[in-house]
Amino acid sequence: MNDLQLLVEAVVGAHEHDEADWLEWKSSLDLGSKAGCFAVVRAILGMANRIPDRAALSCGGLGYVVVGAEPGSLVGLESTDPATFDQTIEPYVGGAEGPRWSPTYVVVEGKRVLVITVEAPRLGDRIFTLRREFD
């Protein structure tokens, strides 16, 4: 079992108030919709804008957004085309000029869960802002 699968299992076993500035979970989102993707955008931007020294205290500064699991519940996700997901997210976060993030699908107990890894903020990084208005 890899580290991201273990992270998903830890989320399922967590307490509902265990979310931290380096971890956010969403039990279910429609990643085929702009509204579902926008929830992910907000989490990515929030984690990318953490204070580097504080971020470094947990997981080497990495941040994680888990979609398809929450404390006490492993729901999984419908399959979403990664290219469509990326094309929906990128205009909001700024593409190559935006924060560094990567989506990975993992299977836990037969259910597919999305784990987005947000790279650690670094001293000197500019503030990442929302690049496009959402409704």
Side-chain angles (χ1 to χ4, degrees):
M1 185 166 289
N2 74 33
D3 289 345
L4 296 181
Q5 289 170 313
L6 292 172
L7 176 64
V8 171
E9 288 185 349
V11 165
V12 173
H15 185 273
E16 65 180 305
H17 299 293
D18 285 345
E19 269 184 328
D21 67 350
W22 62 271
L23 175 63
E24 186 162 332
W25 53 72
K26 308 286 185 192
S27 62
S28 61
L29 290 175
D30 177 3
L31 297 179
S33 74
K34 285 186 180 180
C37 288
F38 190 71
V40 172
V41 166
R42 288 183 28 224
I44 290 170
L45 291 173
M47 289 180 188
N49 285 317
R50 293 173 296 152
I51 297 169
D53 292 344
R54 180 180 163 108
L57 298 175
S58 301
C59 301
L62 296 174
Y64 298 95
V65 183
V66 176
V67 183
E70 67 181 356
S73 179
L74 178 61
V75 223
L77 291 174
E78 292 295 320
S79 182
T80 303
D81 179 5
T84 302
F85 178 68
D86 288 351
Q87 289 171 357
T88 304
I89 298 282
E90 287 298 331
Y92 292 102
V93 297
E97 295 177 11
R100 299 165 312 279
W101 63 279
S102 59
T104 305
Y105 284 96
V106 297
V107 177
V108 176
E109 297 178 17
K111 297 188 179 177
R112 190 173 178 190
V113 176
L114 175 63
V115 179
I116 297 167
T117 303
V118 181
E119 293 300 317
R122 299 178 295 210
L123 286 174
D125 279 352
R126 64 180 184 77
I127 299 294
F128 297 110
T129 60
L130 185 62
R131 296 298 191 94
R132 176 180 284 180
E133 190 173 314
F134 176 79
D135 290 341

